[in-house]
């Protein structure tokens, strides 16, 4: 009668250990993506990237900001636009 109880306790400890290891691993991968934020933001630096740029969030806070730089081209006298998604 004591051996099945021992096996049950060992099984519970193993399952809890696996759950703890998995949760620690998933937290580390989330933190790694936070440090790569500037690279993530720059992938949306184009005209149609506003929605993608603003979709990168850390909790409720936006990680990136969308910026439009406009200038007049001296040669053509036309307005040119540069679309940037940069880290806050």
């Amino acid at each position: 009668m004591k051996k099945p109880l021992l096996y049950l306790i060992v099984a519970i400890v193993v399952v809890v250990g696996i759950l703890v290891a998995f949760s620690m691993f998933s937290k580390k991968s989330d933190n790694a993506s936070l440090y790569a934020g500037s690279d993530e933001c720059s992938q949306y630096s184009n005209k149609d990237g506003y929605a993608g740029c603003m979709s990168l969030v850390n909790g409720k806070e936006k990680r990136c900001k969308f910026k439009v730089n406009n200038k007049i081209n001296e040669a053509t006298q036309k307005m040119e636009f540069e679309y940037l998604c940069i880290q806050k």
Side-chain angles (χ1 to χ4, degrees):
M1 199 72 161
K2 289 186 178 184
K3 282 190 177 182
L5 182 62
L6 181 65
Y7 291 142
L8 181 63
I9 292 172
V10 169
I12 290 172
V13 169
V14 168
V15 169
V16 168
I18 290 171
L19 291 174
V20 168
F22 181 73
S23 69
M24 289 175 59
F25 175 73
S26 65
K27 285 182 182 179
K28 285 183 181 178
S29 65
D30 290 344
N31 289 340
S33 67
L34 290 177
Y35 294 120
S38 61
D39 188 34
E40 285 184 66
C41 293
S42 65
Q43 71 180 339
Y44 294 108
S45 291
N46 58 44
K47 185 176 181 179
D48 300 322
Y50 179 80
C53 181
M54 300 315 292
S55 70
L56 297 174
V57 295
N58 186 18
K60 292 183 179 181
E61 184 178 324
K62 305 274 187 211
R63 284 195 265 167
C64 306
K65 61 182 176 181
F66 196 76
K67 184 176 181 183
V68 179
N69 291 333
N70 52 2
K71 62 182 179 180
I72 296 177
N73 185 334
E74 296 295 328
T76 61
Q77 293 297 312
K78 292 189 177 188
M79 187 71 76
E80 294 182 348
F81 303 95
E82 180 182 24
Y83 301 91
L84 300 171
C85 181
I86 53 178
Q87 188 174 8
K88 282 187 170 180

